[in-house]
Amino acid sequence: MVPPHPPTARDFINTHVHTVSPETPLEEVVAFLLKHSISNAPVVETDSAGRRRLVGFLSEGDCLEHLSNELFFGRPSQPQTAATIMRRHPVCVGPETDVFTLASLLATHHFRHVPVVDQDYFSGIVSRRDVLRALEGYYRQFLQAGEEERQLAQWRQTINYRLLARSV
């Protein structure tokens, strides 16, 4: 028997995600990533009801680019903030996105993480490691189901052989 439906982002989403606000200065964003030992951060705005809306996504690479440019070329006329360095309109997935779609998205675009958005609000993040772990678990179920099928087939064959041998 084939395992049940493949897992979805909802099954393994990380909801405890460190986020930054659009107004966070570049130097604070860098310090924030280093302090928490994370490679990226969603940029969110919180509404009056406490719901978080994803407005962008930034990574260590974005910080490296902007910080090194500032150090090499000098400070820009406007201070750099999360809003000025973030990637606007990041690729997002919904909580019902299946593990195969997630694996394809992460592998094809070489993303390390992808934000999960539910009805326009930020829910959390899914990483390559999360997807790999979910795929591995699903694969083990698949193999186990296949082994059970083989054992059932062997029992059926043995029983049928014994029935045939007795009727002759």
Side-chain angles (χ1 to χ4, degrees), residues 48-65:
S48 58
R51 296 176 298 192
R52 300 179 301 172
R53 192 171 66 81
L54 183 71
V55 294
F57 200 76
L58 54 81
S59 68
E60 289 172 319
D62 300 321
C63 292
L64 280 171
E65 176 187 350

PDB file of all heavy atoms in Angstrom, residues 48-65:
ATOM      1  N   SER A  48      -2.534  46.318  13.379  1.00  0.00           N
ATOM      2  CA  SER A  48      -3.080  46.606  14.710  1.00  0.00           C
ATOM      3  C   SER A  48      -3.623  45.355  15.394  1.00  0.00           C
ATOM      4  O   SER A  48      -3.719  45.306  16.624  1.00  0.00           O
ATOM      5  CB  SER A  48      -4.171  47.672  14.611  1.00  0.00           C
ATOM      6  OG  SER A  48      -5.193  47.228  13.740  1.00  0.00           O
ATOM      7  N   ALA A  49      -3.968  44.322  14.620  1.00  0.00           N
ATOM      8  CA  ALA A  49      -4.479  43.071  15.195  1.00  0.00           C
ATOM      9  C   ALA A  49      -3.348  42.103  15.543  1.00  0.00           C
ATOM     10  O   ALA A  49      -3.601  40.988  15.993  1.00  0.00           O
ATOM     11  CB  ALA A  49      -5.451  42.414  14.220  1.00  0.00           C
ATOM     12  N   GLY A  50      -2.086  42.512  15.302  1.00  0.00           N
ATOM     13  CA  GLY A  50      -0.950  41.658  15.614  1.00  0.00           C
ATOM     14  C   GLY A  50      -0.596  40.665  14.519  1.00  0.00           C
ATOM     15  O   GLY A  50       0.282  39.837  14.700  1.00  0.00           O
ATOM     16  N   ARG A  51      -1.271  40.756  13.376  1.00  0.00           N
ATOM     17  CA  ARG A  51      -0.963  39.860  12.256  1.00  0.00           C
ATOM     18  C   ARG A  51       0.229  40.426  11.495  1.00  0.00           C
ATOM     19  O   ARG A  51       0.361  41.638  11.334  1.00  0.00           O
ATOM     20  CB  ARG A  51      -2.168  39.723  11.333  1.00  0.00           C
ATOM     21  CG  ARG A  51      -3.353  39.063  12.031  1.00  0.00           C
ATOM     22  CD  ARG A  51      -4.545  39.028  11.155  1.00  0.00           C
ATOM     23  NE  ARG A  51      -4.918  40.417  10.841  1.00  0.00           N
ATOM     24  CZ  ARG A  51      -6.048  40.788  10.281  1.00  0.00           C
ATOM     25  NH1 ARG A  51      -6.931  39.892   9.936  1.00  0.00           N
ATOM     26  NH2 ARG A  51      -6.304  42.053  10.037  1.00  0.00           N
ATOM     27  N   ARG A  52       1.081  39.518  11.023  1.00  0.00           N
ATOM     28  CA  ARG A  52       2.291  39.937  10.328  1.00  0.00           C
ATOM     29  C   ARG A  52       2.115  39.752   8.822  1.00  0.00           C
ATOM     30  O   ARG A  52       1.755  38.679   8.362  1.00  0.00           O
ATOM     31  CB  ARG A  52       3.488  39.120  10.805  1.00  0.00           C
ATOM     32  CG  ARG A  52       3.729  39.275  12.287  1.00  0.00           C
ATOM     33  CD  ARG A  52       4.881  38.476  12.788  1.00  0.00           C
ATOM     34  NE  ARG A  52       4.681  37.039  12.532  1.00  0.00           N
ATOM     35  CZ  ARG A  52       5.601  36.121  12.739  1.00  0.00           C
ATOM     36  NH1 ARG A  52       6.787  36.451  13.194  1.00  0.00           N
ATOM     37  NH2 ARG A  52       5.356  34.850  12.507  1.00  0.00           N
ATOM     38  N   ARG A  53       2.375  40.833   8.079  1.00  0.00           N
ATOM     39  CA  ARG A  53       2.305  40.783   6.617  1.00  0.00           C
ATOM     40  C   ARG A  53       3.726  40.819   6.071  1.00  0.00           C
ATOM     41  O   ARG A  53       4.521  41.682   6.423  1.00  0.00           O
ATOM     42  CB  ARG A  53       1.513  41.977   6.086  1.00  0.00           C
ATOM     43  CG  ARG A  53       1.150  41.860   4.618  1.00  0.00           C
ATOM     44  CD  ARG A  53       0.174  42.944   4.178  1.00  0.00           C
ATOM     45  NE  ARG A  53       0.741  44.269   4.229  1.00  0.00           N
ATOM     46  CZ  ARG A  53       1.525  44.807   3.300  1.00  0.00           C
ATOM     47  NH1 ARG A  53       1.848  44.119   2.235  1.00  0.00           N
ATOM     48  NH2 ARG A  53       1.986  46.022   3.426  1.00  0.00           N
ATOM     49  N   LEU A  54       4.042  39.843   5.221  1.00  0.00           N
ATOM     50  CA  LEU A  54       5.368  39.762   4.622  1.00  0.00           C
ATOM     51  C   LEU A  54       5.513  40.843   3.557  1.00  0.00           C
ATOM     52  O   LEU A  54       4.699  40.913   2.636  1.00  0.00           O
ATOM     53  CB  LEU A  54       5.569  38.378   3.986  1.00  0.00           C
ATOM     54  CG  LEU A  54       6.932  38.110   3.380  1.00  0.00           C
ATOM     55  CD1 LEU A  54       7.985  37.967   4.476  1.00  0.00           C
ATOM     56  CD2 LEU A  54       6.888  36.836   2.541  1.00  0.00           C
ATOM     57  N   VAL A  55       6.536  41.680   3.693  1.00  0.00           N
ATOM     58  CA  VAL A  55       6.764  42.737   2.695  1.00  0.00           C
ATOM     59  C   VAL A  55       8.058  42.528   1.927  1.00  0.00           C
ATOM     60  O   VAL A  55       8.305  43.185   0.922  1.00  0.00           O
ATOM     61  CB  VAL A  55       6.741  44.153   3.329  1.00  0.00           C
ATOM     62  CG1 VAL A  55       5.351  44.475   3.864  1.00  0.00           C
ATOM     63  CG2 VAL A  55       7.800  44.299   4.417  1.00  0.00           C
ATOM     64  N   GLY A  56       8.895  41.600   2.410  1.00  0.00           N
ATOM     65  CA  GLY A  56      10.151  41.321   1.728  1.00  0.00           C
ATOM     66  C   GLY A  56      10.916  40.230   2.442  1.00  0.00           C
ATOM     67  O   GLY A  56      10.460  39.675   3.448  1.00  0.00           O
ATOM     68  N   PHE A  57      12.081  39.940   1.902  1.00  0.00           N
ATOM     69  CA  PHE A  57      12.914  38.871   2.440  1.00  0.00           C
ATOM     70  C   PHE A  57      14.357  39.286   2.213  1.00  0.00           C
ATOM     71  O   PHE A  57      14.692  39.806   1.145  1.00  0.00           O
ATOM     72  CB  PHE A  57      12.599  37.578   1.671  1.00  0.00           C
ATOM     73  CG  PHE A  57      12.999  36.329   2.366  1.00  0.00           C
ATOM     74  CD1 PHE A  57      12.259  35.837   3.427  1.00  0.00           C
ATOM     75  CD2 PHE A  57      14.104  35.618   1.962  1.00  0.00           C
ATOM     76  CE1 PHE A  57      12.600  34.660   4.065  1.00  0.00           C
ATOM     77  CE2 PHE A  57      14.469  34.444   2.590  1.00  0.00           C
ATOM     78  CZ  PHE A  57      13.709  33.957   3.645  1.00  0.00           C
ATOM     79  N   LEU A  58      15.206  39.115   3.210  1.00  0.00           N
ATOM     80  CA  LEU A  58      16.607  39.455   3.014  1.00  0.00           C
ATOM     81  C   LEU A  58      17.488  38.329   3.526  1.00  0.00           C
ATOM     82  O   LEU A  58      17.086  37.541   4.366  1.00  0.00           O
ATOM     83  CB  LEU A  58      16.966  40.790   3.653  1.00  0.00           C
ATOM     84  CG  LEU A  58      16.671  41.046   5.120  1.00  0.00           C
ATOM     85  CD1 LEU A  58      17.721  40.438   6.001  1.00  0.00           C
ATOM     86  CD2 LEU A  58      16.624  42.533   5.339  1.00  0.00           C
ATOM     87  N   SER A  59      18.684  38.272   2.951  1.00  0.00           N
ATOM     88  CA  SER A  59      19.601  37.185   3.270  1.00  0.00           C
ATOM     89  C   SER A  59      20.963  37.748   3.647  1.00  0.00           C
ATOM     90  O   SER A  59      21.234  38.942   3.489  1.00  0.00           O
ATOM     91  CB  SER A  59      19.745  36.260   2.065  1.00  0.00           C
ATOM     92  OG  SER A  59      20.427  36.942   1.021  1.00  0.00           O
ATOM     93  N   GLU A  60      21.834  36.847   4.082  1.00  0.00           N
ATOM     94  CA  GLU A  60      23.216  37.229   4.346  1.00  0.00           C
ATOM     95  C   GLU A  60      23.840  37.815   3.083  1.00  0.00           C
ATOM     96  O   GLU A  60      24.587  38.786   3.153  1.00  0.00           O
ATOM     97  CB  GLU A  60      24.040  35.994   4.744  1.00  0.00           C
ATOM     98  CG  GLU A  60      23.740  35.441   6.098  1.00  0.00           C
ATOM     99  CD  GLU A  60      24.459  34.130   6.331  1.00  0.00           C
ATOM    100  OE1 GLU A  60      24.528  33.293   5.405  1.00  0.00           O
ATOM    101  OE2 GLU A  60      24.930  33.931   7.461  1.00  0.00           O
ATOM    102  N   GLY A  61      23.519  37.214   1.937  1.00  0.00           N
ATOM    103  CA  GLY A  61      24.061  37.700   0.667  1.00  0.00           C
ATOM    104  C   GLY A  61      23.665  39.141   0.393  1.00  0.00           C
ATOM    105  O   GLY A  61      24.491  39.944  -0.065  1.00  0.00           O
ATOM    106  N   ASP A  62      22.401  39.479   0.661  1.00  0.00           N
ATOM    107  CA  ASP A  62      21.944  40.868   0.480  1.00  0.00           C
ATOM    108  C   ASP A  62      22.734  41.802   1.389  1.00  0.00           C
ATOM    109  O   ASP A  62      23.168  42.881   0.975  1.00  0.00           O
ATOM    110  CB  ASP A  62      20.449  40.990   0.786  1.00  0.00           C
ATOM    111  CG  ASP A  62      19.585  40.128  -0.103  1.00  0.00           C
ATOM    112  OD1 ASP A  62      19.882  40.026  -1.314  1.00  0.00           O
ATOM    113  OD2 ASP A  62      18.610  39.545   0.412  1.00  0.00           O
ATOM    114  N   CYS A  63      22.928  41.378   2.638  1.00  0.00           N
ATOM    115  CA  CYS A  63      23.679  42.194   3.596  1.00  0.00           C
ATOM    116  C   CYS A  63      25.141  42.331   3.181  1.00  0.00           C
ATOM    117  O   CYS A  63      25.715  43.422   3.273  1.00  0.00           O
ATOM    118  CB  CYS A  63      23.582  41.600   4.998  1.00  0.00           C
ATOM    119  SG  CYS A  63      21.926  41.707   5.701  1.00  0.00           S
ATOM    120  N   LEU A  64      25.735  41.226   2.728  1.00  0.00           N
ATOM    121  CA  LEU A  64      27.125  41.284   2.254  1.00  0.00           C
ATOM    122  C   LEU A  64      27.278  42.309   1.136  1.00  0.00           C
ATOM    123  O   LEU A  64      28.197  43.132   1.148  1.00  0.00           O
ATOM    124  CB  LEU A  64      27.558  39.910   1.719  1.00  0.00           C
ATOM    125  CG  LEU A  64      27.978  38.861   2.721  1.00  0.00           C
ATOM    126  CD1 LEU A  64      28.163  37.518   2.031  1.00  0.00           C
ATOM    127  CD2 LEU A  64      29.247  39.275   3.423  1.00  0.00           C
ATOM    128  N   GLU A  65      26.376  42.236   0.184  1.00  0.00           N
ATOM    129  CA  GLU A  65      26.442  43.150  -0.963  1.00  0.00           C
ATOM    130  C   GLU A  65      26.334  44.601  -0.516  1.00  0.00           C
ATOM    131  O   GLU A  65      27.175  45.433  -0.869  1.00  0.00           O
ATOM    132  CB  GLU A  65      25.332  42.817  -1.959  1.00  0.00           C
ATOM    133  CG  GLU A  65      25.273  43.767  -3.124  1.00  0.00           C
ATOM    134  CD  GLU A  65      24.064  43.528  -4.017  1.00  0.00           C
ATOM    135  OE1 GLU A  65      23.369  42.521  -3.847  1.00  0.00           O
ATOM    136  OE2 GLU A  65      23.822  44.396  -4.879  1.00  0.00           O
TER     137      GLU A  65
END
